[in-house]
Structures are given as structure tokens and as C-alpha cells.
Amino acid sequence: MPQHIEAQYQEILNEYVKKQTEQNLYVGQNFSRQLILENISPEEVISMHKAAIGELYSDLPDVVWHSFDFLIEMMINYGLALQERQSLLKRQEELKVEMDLAANVQETLLKTKLPSLDGLDIGLLSIPAKKMNGDYIYFVSDYDGYAGVAVADVIGKGLPAALCMSMIKFGMDSLNSSHALPKDVLGVINRIVEKSVDDSMFVSMFYANYDAGAARLTYGSAGHEPAILYRAGSGEFSELEAKGLLLGVSPAAVYEEHSVILEKGDMVIMMTDGVTEGRTEEGFIERDVIYKLIEQKKTEPAQAIVQHVYDELERMQNAELQDDFTLVVYKKG
Amino acid sequence: MNIQVNLTENDNKLKGDIHGEIDAHTAPVLREKLEAYQAKEGLNAELDLSGVDYMDSTGLGVFVAFYKSINAKGGHLKLTGLSSRLKRLFDITGLGDIMDIEAAVGKGGN
């Protein structure tokens, strides 16, 4: 125990004993924070107290001194608990650094490149609610007029979900073709996920393949939120439904696929449930709200549309999105 | 952050009802309670979800895990009292086709 601390304590204590003012108490409170910073244990504080009282009032009865000795013994375990807490805090700090590193690795590993196709304008926004994103977007493009897109949501969070995503990515890479059909892609990934992950982790995934030459979008869904189709001609919205079980539940699952031909100005809006499951104080954000937001910006580039939807939904939820948010817009130019 | 899970088992029949919200915060509570029964052979479980106001995909994960484990042991899981919102969640995910679920009467389950 540094001597200056002991001297300071004695002085502060003496002031308080003489006059029990708020001010004197406040000085003591501040001093206790300094003691914590200096790693002074509770039992040391009591020893210090005993020594200070001894100097100030040497004629106190023995019973007082014995009681301090007893109190010091009582406090030793508190001191140990404090030490443990400090080492946990340090460990937590280290884990945080590791998580940051892992999040960076995930970002690099899962990077995807927006395809560039004639007559197709793509907007994309994916914002994680926490450090690790449980949503996953992957584009497959061979520069031959086809572009595949996978929008996936891993149910289960954190590190295991991130590892699961890498598995999806490598599954997609193994198919290695932008021509691959949704039912085949979903079937392959389903078998990979079913074999490899534990019982409480599943993936929902929407897969679409766009053929720019024919302006045809072929899509399939594995238990994913239906994509939205906007028809510029009629100004109407509809859901692109496709039956299919979540990935990883049953190896026997089979997946449907359907096609739509896109006309000029038509849009396909793909998303995760972080977009549709938003809640405000009044209740859930209904799909109509999302339709309205898209309509407000329908003449703008795809990226401006996704940004607008995000900004508005975030505003409605007081800037507190509970879930990862991913939105992709394919707009036929 | 509130959930209430009441489970009673009698003669390998598990009856239960769940109230509140099932999301990332509360799902671990539900999972822990259900896990106590999932190793039983031929368990017949029926859970009433009519008191569930909200469920997200984490909650869905808990039921699927429970469904998978008791199915693997020759048991059966039935979920009843699903609100239209919950029913939609099961339908979208394709789980409505493989799991035994029943919409709440008068809650617009169709």
C-alpha cells in the first residue's frame, strides 16, 4: 500500500469524522474510485482504516481493534472475488478483440461481387443487428448474361451461424455455375446443411437465377420470406411464393421453382425477416408499408430504393433494428 | 422479455401451454424446459401456443429441434392454438407441411 494513499485516507477520514457534510462524504466517494483503480483490495482498505483510526484515536478500547481484525478476515474472500472479476474483465476484453477479428475474417471470406448485367439494376443493403451478420447474400455470375443470387438467413446466432454461412458459400462455389437452377441449388445446400449442423440450427434461403437475354427470373425458396414482385405496368405488388422446407431439417426435402418474365421497370425485392418482422410501439410493420416505401422511390436506381426502405424502417423503429436486415432489389432497366 | 412455460407429463403424454413472446431472449428458457423431455421414447406432446403473442425464427428453431428429437424417438409433437401470424411463419418455412399444427379457432387461421 503506497504511503501517500494511507496519508490521504487518514486526512479524508479525519475531515468526515469532524464534520459529516455531503461535501466530505463526496470526497470519500471519489477517493474510493481511486482505490479501485489502484487495485486496492477491500481487506487492505480496512487495514488502512484501522491504522488511520489508530493514529487519530489511540485510546479506543481493545474490542474495537479486535473487531477490525475480524472484519479484515471477513473481507478476504471479497478481495478474491474482486480479483476474479478483474481477470474476467480482461478475458472479456480479449474475447472481444477475437470476435472483432472473426467478424473481419467473416466479412472477407463471404465477400461477394455484384454482377453486372445489361438491363439489370441491382441494389443491395445488408446491415447486421450485432457484430456478426446472420444474413447472407451471395451472387453467382459468369459474365455470360446470367446472374444467380442467394439470400439466406441463418437461424441461430453468433459464431456457429457464421461458420454455417461459410458452409453455404462453399456449397454454392462447388456448383460453380450461374446457370444452376434454384431447385438444384437448394437441394445441394440442404444436404450439406442437414449433414453438418446441429438440430437447432437451420437456414432459410431464397435463390433466384436471372437470365438477362430472356429477362426471365427463375426462383425457389427454402422456407424463406417470399420475395416481392412489383409490376411497373399495373403498379401492383405480389408475393413470389414457392414451397420448400427450411434447409437442414430433412434430407428428403424437395424444392419447387417458378419463373417470371420481367418487363421494363419491374422489380423483384428479396429480403430477410429482419425487414418484414419489424415492430413499432403500435405493432408489426405490415407488408403494405414496405410496398408503399418502394413505390415512393420506384423511378430511382435500385440502390436508392433499398437505402430509402432501410432509412424509413429504421426511423419507424427508433433506430433500433432487432434483427439483421438484408434487402436486395433487382430492377429491370 | 417475458415468457411463461407450463409443462406437465403424465404416462408419456406431455401437455403444455406457453404464454408471452418467444424471441432470441426468451427462446433459451423454452429450449431448456423442452430439452428435459426430448430424450423420452415415444413421447406424445401437445403444446398450446394460443398465449404466444410473438415468435421469431429463433423460437421456430426451438420447436423444430424438439420436433426432430422426439420424432427420432418415435414420438409425436402437436402444436395448437396458432395465431394467424404464427401459422404464416410455419407455412412460409415449409414446417406447416411436415409438423402437426393447428390454428386457433376464430383467430383467422385460414
Side-chain angles (χ1 to χ4, degrees):
Chain A
M1 172 94 54
Q3 255 186 351
H4 71 274
I5 291 190
E6 286 181 355
Q8 229 177 324
Y9 181 78
Q10 189 178 333
E11 197 186 315
I12 294 169
L13 176 66
N14 196 22
E15 286 304 311
Y16 183 77
V17 172
K18 279 195 285 189
K19 208 166 183 204
Q20 294 92 49
T21 61
E22 284 289 324
Q23 171 61 23
N24 285 342
L25 194 59
Y26 178 70
V27 173
Q29 284 167 353
N30 280 340
F31 188 68
S32 83
R33 280 188 206 107
Q34 191 190 332
L35 295 178
I36 291 169
L37 281 179
E38 303 239 5
N39 264 336
I40 311 251
S41 68
E43 67 271 22
E44 282 176 306
V45 176
I46 294 163
S47 302
M48 183 165 75
H49 184 81
K50 184 187 169 198
I53 291 284
E55 299 230 347
L56 295 169
Y57 307 96
S58 53
D59 54 353
L60 289 178
D62 278 349
V63 54
V64 173
W65 310 121
H66 294 324
S67 83
F68 279 133
D69 289 336
F70 189 74
L71 187 57
I72 287 167
E73 282 305 313
M74 288 292 103
M75 283 300 120
I76 285 175
N77 277 320
Y78 283 87
L80 291 176
L82 184 69
Q83 266 177 26
E84 204 168 313
R85 177 175 172 274
Q86 272 155 345
S87 80
L88 280 175
L89 281 177
K90 193 163 157 275
R91 179 80 193 118
Q92 197 178 31
E93 191 55 36
E94 286 167 5
L95 281 173
K96 192 177 158 295
V97 171
E98 281 181 22
M99 279 294 274
D100 285 343
L101 272 174
N104 281 337
V105 171
Q106 185 199 18
E107 211 171 293
T108 315
L109 196 70
L110 300 180
K111 233 176 218 155
T112 186
K113 206 166 159 284
L114 278 180
S116 134
L117 286 184
D118 282 344
L120 185 70
D121 177 18
I122 302 176
L124 160 68
L125 201 61
S126 187
I127 314 263
K130 289 207 193 101
K131 210 163 278 161
M132 295 266 192
N133 198 339
D135 289 352
Y136 182 47
I137 293 284
Y138 194 60
F139 291 101
V140 188
S141 167
D142 301 333
Y143 306 101
D144 59 353
Y146 284 80
V149 58
V151 179
D153 183 357
V154 179
I155 300 169
K157 300 274 174 244
L159 222 42
L163 292 171
C164 183
M165 259 176 249
S166 310
M167 220 153 57
I168 297 169
K169 181 203 154 72
F170 292 116
M172 305 259 301
D173 284 344
S174 73
L175 285 160
N176 196 26
S177 163
S178 58
H179 298 248
L181 290 168
K183 64 175 173 12
D184 299 329
V185 174
L186 295 173
V188 166
I189 310 285
N190 179 47
R191 283 189 292 275
I192 295 175
V193 175
E194 209 276 330
K195 240 182 265 168
S196 331
V197 303
D198 83 85
D199 268 358
S200 58
M201 200 151 76
F202 312 98
V203 182
S204 77
M205 179 161 145
F206 180 86
Y207 188 84
N209 180 338
Y210 185 68
D211 170 358
R216 184 178 53 230
L217 184 96
T218 308
Y219 60 93
S221 167
H224 197 80
E225 201 53 46
I228 298 168
L229 172 67
Y230 170 73
R231 289 294 195 191
S234 61
E236 277 172 13
F237 289 91
S238 60
E239 290 189 346
L240 293 179
E241 298 207 10
K243 267 186 174 292
L245 186 61
L246 289 173
L247 303 172
V249 177
S250 161
V254 284
Y255 296 95
E256 284 182 357
E257 65 186 27
H258 304 282
S259 291
V260 282
I261 303 286
L262 300 186
E263 311 287 344
K264 192 174 163 53
D266 284 358
M267 283 186 263
V268 174
I269 300 108
M270 296 160 264
M271 66 216 142
T272 55
D273 61 4
V275 179
T276 52
E277 287 286 292
R279 283 195 287 177
T280 65
E281 277 163 20
E282 286 102 62
F284 295 96
I285 293 171
E286 299 295 336
R287 287 210 151 204
D288 290 350
V289 175
I290 297 163
Y291 294 170
K292 211 167 283 167
L293 294 174
I294 293 165
E295 194 156 38
Q296 286 166 359
K297 298 276 169 180
K298 63 186 177 199
T299 54
E300 300 205 13
Q303 193 59 40
I305 298 171
V306 296
Q307 189 65 49
H308 177 66
V309 174
Y310 174 76
D311 290 347
E312 288 300 306
L313 289 180
E314 195 195 29
R315 194 179 53 77
M316 287 176 207
Q317 294 170 74
N318 302 322
E320 274 183 42
L321 292 177
Q322 300 294 323
D323 200 355
D324 303 326
F325 181 104
T326 296
L327 190 60
V328 183
V329 168
Y330 267 28
K331 186 178 184 188
K332 173 87 166 68
Chain B
M1 183 171 167
N2 66 84
I3 188 170
Q4 207 189 324
V5 186
N6 305 311
L7 300 174
T8 47
E9 195 223 329
N10 212 333
D11 197 17
N12 230 16
K13 281 194 176 63
L14 179 70
K15 280 258 180 198
D17 51 272
I18 299 156
H19 297 263
E21 306 193 345
I22 314 176
D23 58 16
H25 298 292
T26 61
V29 177
L30 177 63
R31 179 180 302 129
E32 201 178 301
K33 296 223 174 185
L34 290 176
E35 269 173 2
Y37 299 96
Q38 70 184 23
K40 290 191 175 286
E41 292 286 342
L43 182 74
N44 209 330
E46 188 173 324
L47 303 175
D48 181 359
L49 306 190
S50 55
V52 176
D53 318 315
Y54 173 79
M55 179 163 92
D56 70 1
S57 51
T58 325
L60 204 62
V62 174
F63 287 116
V64 180
F66 189 56
Y67 161 80
K68 280 182 83 169
S69 37
I70 69 173
N71 237 32
K73 300 216 168 278
H76 184 79
L77 170 66
K78 182 172 183 164
L79 301 175
T80 63
L82 273 67
S83 68
S84 55
R85 213 174 166 94
L86 255 63
K87 174 84 166 44
R88 179 177 181 271
L89 195 56
F90 278 90
D91 286 340
I92 284 179
T93 50
L95 295 167
D97 291 339
I98 60 165
M99 288 171 73
D100 186 0
I101 59 169
E102 200 176 275
V105 183
K107 271 203 169 180
N110 299 319

